[in-house]
Amino acid sequence: MRDPRYDILFTPVKIGPVTARNRFFQVPHCNGMGHAMPLAHAAMREVKAEGGWAVVSTEECEIHPTSDLTPYVEARLWDDRDIPALALMCDKVHAHGALAAVELSHNGPTASNLYSREVLIGPSHQPSKYGYPSQARAMTLEDIRAYRRWHKAAALRAKRAGMDIIYVYAAHDLSLPMHFLQRRRNHRSDEYGGSLENRVRLLREVLEDTRDAVGDRCAVALRFATDELLGPEGVELTEAQDIVGLLAELPDLWDVNLAAWYNDSVPSRFAPEGAQESFVSFVKKLTTKPVVGVGRFTSPDTMVSQIRRGVIDLIGAARPSIADPFLPRKIEEGRVDDIRECIGCNICVSGDMTISPIRCTQNPTMGEEWRKGWHPERLPPKRHASRVLVVGGGPAGLEAARALGQRGYEVSLAEARRELGGRVTREARLPGLAEWARVRDWRVGQIGKLANVSVYLDSVLSAQDVLDFGAEHVVLATGCHWRRDGFGRSNGLGIDGLAAHPSGFTLDDLMDGRLPSGNVTVFDDDGFYYASIAADLLHQHGCKVTYATPEDSVAPWSVNTLDYRHIRKRMAKQGIEVQVSHSIAGFDGGVLTLENTWDGTRIEQPCDAIVTVTARLPDDALYQALLAREAEWSDAGVRSVRCIGDAEAPGLIAHAVYAGHRYARELEEPSTGEVAFKRHFHAAHPQDV
Ligand code: ADP
Ligand code: SF4
């Protein structure tokens, strides 16, 4: 069934004492569930194994209370009581013929120890990385011996849990073996500091310890950052080449990438597929061991090219496996068109960052495998032969129509515009967001294969049209629009005179091609990506752009998607002036008055136009009109009317897709009650009662 040119992706790869059945390798990734929600975690990993990944890894796994990552929720192997949680995952992964891998980690000065209250440790005295008001102390030689013991003990526990591959972690600036490599963190004058041989010593010892402890049955993988892009303060490519040369045959597998996380999982706005190639391609030349690398690979042709050109041996993926846990199977079964490609928006990352279960824009079932029993490929068949009318072809409407179609409903999708995709189509035309169109394209492709879903473009429906249509169920996914009046988090009464000002613009204007010129201020009271993209667009259009926000930093929420640093760098490069902690006090079409949030002082500056990014309002007029005519529903044969997505409450594209999916899943199903999902409840361990 599969295209023979992809055969190479399905050849087994020997990794030390174990063999991966193919070349698809789900590298470690955080998920916000970790040790706190082991059943949910295991079910999420199981779906990857079922979807054909040969190796399924955990996220970072804390090995000791001196490496406590609170408030982040990762995996944990502090003592034997942590084994069952990971054994759950191993059993599920093995049931589908995949290998289970664990990324053992001691985060040294990049831990928090907020829960354990242990003193942080590091190669040398230094402040904790994440701004906690504490320092790590320099490890003594006895500390180093203790750390090696903890790592070995954790490796043995991982083996008992059923892990097949045990990682030694020296990447992302997150783990002691890497911290010892870094000149900026390692100022030691003993045998663990100074020369490269000395700085590599701990990494070598831990690799050897791990092999001694578990190497009879488990493979030992080394996750290694080849560059931190920090210059001589950090691990740099030239030194990384020496390190790989020194350790070449010691691990059974090299897993190589860039550090820190924001350089590794770069949003698609700032890096294309395969962007790490020039930083990792040297590794295979220095070792005979298999090499896995990442690059948000979703195209099987790119994957084959990576292998054929000798860049990597195994296709590493975190995000592509989140967006489509069945990616390998779809290639294997000759269904490449069915791959739900990651769009590189990093909403998945925001789960970990906000300490909440993982979610994904493209895959609304991610994180819901256990608690809602949602499977990424299977939906329950419809219960009745009902007809459903979906109004609006944005992400919510498209996903609802697709999933309802998959359930077997007779679905009609009406869209006012001449093209599908709603906000996705519009936003994907903004600078750097082209890949976001995949949200539309995958759904349109799937709908095209469903004979029971009809699409009507150029069809603005009124309440009368809906009632005349005669569908039993109506779902309104009619979207939203940006407010013109300046109302938002900071200006609860709006901004005087802005709504009617001819030089006041919104993102909708920009997306409709109505762009201001001259001196333009983008006012960001939203805090995520929209305003920085507006600034980018206007800069490209030749405007002199100022970015102003009442917040104390630029696009603060974009930290959660790893966009923040890239946004700041791009703005700096473009010469966009940044005014934080300032709100708009007045605008007369030529002069803008900004007011400092903290001391109330005002500044005036020349300004030809303002683009406000503050808040949105649902386009729910059709819903309200139908509610007003509820008495007519039953005569028209209408049993239910629902409003979903941005038309219910404006949010992320991820929220809209989820809303569409949830609507389709729950239609005509028994009510789930007030709490719509399963939860973890903790029972005390027998040893603790
Ligand atoms: P969401 O993110 O919730 O899916 P979008 O704004 O992306 O919302 O999509 C809403 C879509 O609904 C837009 O493409 C819009 O053209 C369409 N739409 C809005 N009102 C109507 C209507 N009365 N009839 C048909 N389509 C509509
Ligand atoms: Fe890709 Fe976005 Fe899904 Fe993450 S949330 S896997 S970046 S589509």
Side-chain angles (χ1 to χ4, degrees):
M1 290 253 277
R2 76 170 175 247
D3 189 324
R5 71 178 191 276
Y6 303 141
D7 284 353
I8 193 167
L9 299 173
F10 295 91
T11 51
V13 179
K14 200 168 170 335
I15 308 173
V18 300
T19 301
R21 61 181 159 177
N22 61 38
R23 293 176 188 262
F24 293 93
F25 193 117
Q26 183 245 284
V27 294
H29 72 74
C30 304
N31 53 85
M33 302 191 287
H35 64 79
M37 304 177 199
L39 292 162
H41 175 257
M44 181 269 286
R45 302 293 186 198
E46 176 178 18
V47 165
K48 312 276 195 97
E50 188 192 350
W53 299 86
V55 180
V56 177
S57 308
T58 63
E59 60 278 49
E60 281 182 277
C61 179
E62 304 167 355
I63 64 167
H64 191 260
T66 51
S67 176
D68 154 31
L69 298 174
T70 303
Y72 302 103
V73 185
E74 314 297 332
R76 190 168 270 178
L77 272 177
W78 288 1
D79 66 24
D80 289 359
R81 289 170 293 185
D82 293 312
I83 293 176
L86 287 176
L88 263 179
M89 166 189 158
C90 292
D91 292 347
K92 301 267 184 205
V93 165
H94 291 157
H96 298 279
L99 300 172
V102 63
E103 183 181 55
L104 298 183
S105 182
H106 191 300
N107 295 60
T110 61
S112 73
N113 296 356
L114 288 172
Y115 173 53
S116 68
R117 302 189 68 177
E118 297 292 345
V119 171
L120 292 169
I121 55 173
S124 305
H125 293 292
Q126 59 197 281
S128 77
K129 175 167 177 173
Y130 292 110
Y132 303 115
S134 59
Q135 291 212 170
R137 67 173 171 79
M139 291 164 76
T140 63
L141 289 176
E142 176 46 34
D143 290 327
I144 291 176
R145 284 191 287 275
Y147 159 65
R148 289 177 56 188
R149 278 198 308 276
W150 303 332
H151 197 281
K152 203 165 171 170
L156 286 164
R157 282 185 201 112
K159 182 182 171 190
R160 277 171 57 198
M163 293 293 171
D164 306 287
I165 300 176
I166 317 280
Y167 268 87
V168 172
Y169 186 40
H172 294 128
D173 183 28
L174 285 183
S175 169
L176 279 176
M178 177 162 185
H179 299 144
F180 273 72
L181 295 175
Q182 297 161 316
R183 286 193 203 87
R184 72 176 182 286
R185 295 199 184 281
N186 182 349
H187 310 145
R188 302 177 74 93
S189 54
D190 62 6
E191 65 266 39
Y192 288 96
S195 68
L196 183 62
E197 283 74 10
N198 281 354
R199 283 181 285 123
V200 171
R201 188 175 313 281
L202 182 62
L203 176 53
R204 179 193 292 283
E205 287 174 346
V206 176
L207 282 166
E208 286 166 352
D209 292 343
T210 311
R211 164 163 289 183
D212 289 349
V214 298
D216 55 332
R217 191 178 69 66
C218 303
V220 179
L222 170 54
R223 196 163 206 208
F224 176 68
T226 61
D227 205 327
E228 299 187 83
L229 308 181
L230 289 176
E233 279 210 343
V235 174
E236 276 189 291
L237 209 48
T238 44
E239 203 172 67
Q241 285 164 351
D242 294 339
I243 296 169
V244 176
L246 286 169
L247 302 175
E249 302 299 314
L250 200 48
D252 297 312
L253 172 80
W254 282 88
D255 176 345
V256 285
N257 62 4
L258 285 172
W261 195 9
Y262 51 79
N263 287 326
D264 186 15
S265 299
V266 183
S268 61
R269 186 178 166 192
F270 300 101
E273 183 179 29
Q276 302 201 20
E277 181 174 328
S278 60
F279 295 96
V280 300
S281 55
F282 74 89
V283 179
K284 259 190 71 61
K285 298 187 180 74
L286 298 176
T287 178
T288 64
K289 304 292 173 151
V291 176
V292 57
V294 291
R296 210 162 43 74
F297 297 120
T298 58
S299 148
D301 292 306
T302 308
M303 297 172 192
V304 168
S305 156
Q306 292 277 315
I307 292 166
R308 291 237 181 267
R309 290 184 296 113
V311 182
I312 48 180
D313 301 295
L314 291 140
I315 303 301
R319 290 174 291 176
S321 76
I322 293 166
D324 196 341
F326 274 60
L327 183 150
R329 273 244 225 149
K330 288 176 182 176
I331 300 174
E332 188 164 26
E333 292 169 4
R335 299 194 290 126
V336 169
D337 283 357
D338 290 337
I339 296 174
R340 197 168 43 241
E341 290 181 285
C342 166
I343 69 165
C345 61
N346 282 4
I347 291 303
C348 50
V349 173
S350 77
D352 185 55
M353 294 292 204
T354 56
I355 309 128
S356 41
I358 188 167
R359 69 284 315 268
C360 167
T361 301
Q362 273 285 55
N363 174 10
T365 67
M366 180 47 51
E368 306 294 345
E369 300 84 356
W370 174 77
R371 67 176 196 167
K372 286 194 168 165
W374 288 5
H375 189 276
E377 300 299 309
R378 293 192 290 273
L379 284 109
K382 66 174 187 219
R383 289 186 183 254
H384 308 287
S386 311
R387 288 204 302 152
V388 189
L389 172 64
V390 181
V391 186
L398 281 175
E399 175 61 14
R402 181 205 72 77
L404 289 164
Q406 193 180 333
R407 290 192 63 193
Y409 283 102
E410 206 56 48
V411 183
S412 303
L413 170 64
E415 164 55 48
R417 294 181 183 244
R418 291 205 174 88
E419 57 186 1
L420 290 170
R423 63 179 290 186
V424 165
T425 296
R426 286 152 65 73
E427 290 184 29
R429 294 194 188 111
L430 294 169
L433 298 191
E435 283 191 31
W436 290 22
R438 291 171 172 183
V439 172
R440 172 199 64 206
D441 295 343
W442 182 75
R443 290 173 176 81
V444 171
Q446 298 296 301
I447 286 171
K449 295 181 184 185
L450 292 165
N452 50 329
V453 182
S454 316
V455 177
Y456 304 93
L457 294 178
D458 211 0
S459 305
V460 186
L461 296 197
S462 65
Q464 191 59 49
D465 294 333
V466 171
L467 293 174
D468 290 345
F469 196 84
E472 281 90 352
H473 301 288
V474 179
V475 57
L476 305 165
T478 46
C480 66
H481 62 274
W482 287 92
R483 294 178 73 129
R484 291 192 175 277
D485 57 2
F487 169 90
R489 292 189 173 98
S490 303
N491 298 290
L493 301 176
I495 296 171
D496 252 0
L498 199 62
H501 203 292
S503 298
F505 290 76
T506 68
L507 255 187
D508 290 314
D509 295 321
L510 306 193
M511 289 190 287
D512 288 337
R514 283 193 300 278
L515 269 62
S517 53
N519 284 317
V520 183
T521 296
V522 176
F523 179 65
D524 186 4
D525 197 17
D526 165 77
F528 193 21
Y529 62 93
Y530 310 100
S532 72
I533 296 229
D536 202 345
L537 175 72
L538 294 167
H539 172 80
Q540 288 182 21
H541 182 61
C543 300
K544 180 167 181 337
V545 184
T546 301
Y547 167 100
T549 178
E551 297 288 338
D552 289 335
S553 73
V554 171
W557 209 82
S558 70
V559 166
N560 296 316
T561 52
L562 307 176
D563 279 284
Y564 178 74
R565 282 167 179 266
H566 302 288
I567 289 174
R568 293 303 304 249
K569 279 189 183 163
R570 180 167 292 178
M571 278 187 164
K573 201 166 158 200
Q574 292 174 332
I576 291 171
E577 190 185 332
V578 169
Q579 282 163 323
V580 295
S581 314
H582 278 85
S583 195
I584 295 177
F587 175 58
D588 68 4
V591 175
L592 172 70
T593 308
L594 292 172
E595 185 175 284
N596 186 298
T597 316
W598 302 116
D599 63 15
T601 52
R602 293 187 169 197
I603 46 173
E604 292 189 339
Q605 59 195 39
C607 178
D608 301 312
I610 307 183
V611 177
T612 50
V613 182
T614 59
R616 290 172 281 174
L617 277 172
D619 288 332
D620 63 351
L622 181 55
Y623 180 53
Q624 298 301 341
L626 283 165
L627 285 182
R629 295 176 67 175
E630 193 169 347
E632 298 169 51
W633 292 4
S634 72
D635 284 351
V638 173
R639 286 170 44 210
S640 76
V641 176
R642 282 277 313 279
C643 180
I644 63 165
D646 287 314
E648 183 186 22
L652 299 173
I653 297 169
H655 294 129
V657 172
Y658 175 81
H661 192 85
R662 181 174 183 185
Y663 173 82
R665 287 253 178 199
E666 294 180 352
L667 189 66
E668 298 183 336
E669 292 294 311
S671 160
T672 49
E674 296 296 332
V675 181
F677 46 84
K678 288 193 279 190
R679 289 181 290 157
H680 286 81
F681 292 95
H682 296 279
H685 193 277
Q687 198 175 314
D688 298 326
V689 286

